[in-house]
Amino acid sequence: MPINLLYHDVTLAGADDSSGFAGPSAARYKLTPDEFVRHLDAIAATISELPQNSPTQLGQSSDDWTITFDDGGVSAATTIADFLEQRNWRGWFFIATDFIDTPGFCSRAQIRELHRRGHVIGSHSCSHPERISNCSIEQLQDEWTRSCAVLADIVGEPITTASVPGGFYSTEVARTAAAAGIRWLFNSEPTTGTFLVDGCRILGRYNVYRGMSAADAGSLISNPWRRWRQSAFWSAKKAAKTVAAPLYKAVRQRLLQRAYAST
């Protein structure tokens, strides 16, 4: 029953675009340093002696947990890793490789250093497609194979972990990831269930966002009811996306613009 938390970036108030992708949609998932520290404190109080996962252990124990970070924003190297290491924790950092060495994203040297310090480096595709599940098989093969090759060259070992951009999972996404050598693929479905596709284990994650209280973040690990509530909301949102995708997207963008564009 692995419990995996999904974070993105940590940025100063008013500096949302300093790390990771720009814009209000991305800003929803960027915490301030103080907010992030409160989350870590609450998680630490919840997990007690519960050990973190290593890539070789994931999904094999009833007490698994991980803390993951998507996109590859520079705050992984400048902020997040230090806070994790103060607790002797390590993060799982998933990198969109087309953005390496660009403003707001980790450099090759920073990724190499994160790996040296014991953090897990994985793929988040190359280009971070808006909806990766709509890509052709050829595009999917390129996204996974090329991104894994870039990261393997940086860290000096094969890349076996990845996360799905935007959470847009499909069987084809998983199969092409498996063909690229990925053995642990995270999506964004809030669930503790796992399953295998062509030898690749598919794992869900519980989403954490700006404004979520520290107690709420900690309860995602300790409280099955809290996890069920997020799962139920996610399922309802997925249905809304399917039935009225263009309208859903337009309304969401407008709400996020109002909430985060001026922060």
Side-chain angles (χ1 to χ4, degrees):
M1 189 186 73
I3 301 171
N4 308 306
L5 301 181
L6 169 54
Y7 285 83
H8 286 75
D9 290 284
V10 175
T11 60
L12 295 174
D16 294 336
D17 293 350
S18 64
S19 182
F21 293 108
S25 294
R28 172 169 169 74
Y29 301 102
K30 298 181 181 183
L31 279 64
T32 65
D34 288 346
E35 191 176 19
F36 185 56
V37 168
R38 290 195 297 271
H39 277 221
L40 297 184
D41 288 343
I43 293 167
T46 297
I47 63 173
S48 183
E49 298 302 315
L50 199 62
Q52 273 194 295
N53 275 309
S54 73
T56 57
Q57 299 168 330
L58 190 56
Q60 298 179 15
S61 166
S62 61
D63 293 329
D64 292 337
W65 78 281
T66 63
I67 183 166
T68 72
F69 302 85
D70 279 2
D71 298 343
V74 70
S75 65
T78 61
T79 306
I80 295 170
D82 288 339
F83 284 138
L84 295 178
E85 290 172 25
Q86 288 171 12
R87 294 161 176 80
N88 199 30
W89 295 351
R90 296 300 183 270
W92 295 54
F93 294 101
F94 298 112
I95 313 294
T97 56
D98 281 357
F99 301 90
I100 294 172
D101 284 323
T102 65
F105 290 86
C106 285
S107 67
R108 294 175 68 91
Q110 287 171 322
I111 293 169
R112 190 176 297 112
E113 177 65 11
L114 286 170
H115 177 262
R116 187 194 66 78
R117 289 160 64 175
H119 300 278
V120 179
I121 300 298
S123 168
H124 197 46
S125 79
C126 291
S127 66
H128 198 282
E130 182 176 0
R131 197 178 186 100
I132 194 170
S133 56
N134 285 350
C135 291
S136 68
I137 296 298
E138 293 74 19
Q139 289 172 316
L140 291 171
Q141 290 170 338
D142 178 67
E143 290 285 345
W144 292 130
T145 302
R146 187 159 51 90
S147 63
C148 286
V150 168
L151 292 170
D153 180 65
I154 293 172
V155 303
E157 64 182 40
I159 300 299
T160 58
T161 65
S163 68
V164 180
F168 290 107
Y169 171 84
S170 70
T171 302
E172 290 74 18
V173 168
R175 285 177 174 166
T176 50
I182 293 167
R183 293 295 172 261
W184 291 270
L185 180 65
F186 293 81
N187 59 29
S188 300
E189 179 176 357
T191 179
T192 58
T194 74
F195 58 95
L196 289 172
V197 174
D198 294 349
C200 177
R201 183 166 296 279
I202 313 303
L203 306 104
R205 291 181 291 178
Y206 292 88
N207 290 275
V208 181
Y209 49 84
R210 179 186 295 179
M212 176 184 280
S213 71
D216 218 10
S219 72
L220 287 172
I221 290 180
S222 65
N223 190 329
W225 165 253
R226 177 64 184 84
R227 294 195 298 273
W228 179 88
R229 190 174 68 182
Q230 185 174 119
S231 180
F233 178 76
W234 183 89
S235 297
K237 186 169 68 172
K238 181 180 180 181
K241 287 181 180 180
T242 302
V243 173
L247 179 60
Y248 176 90
K249 183 177 179 181
V251 171
R252 183 176 185 273
Q253 286 294 106
R254 181 170 296 182
L255 292 174
L256 290 173
Q257 184 75 20
R258 289 177 180 174
Y260 300 112
S262 61
T263 58

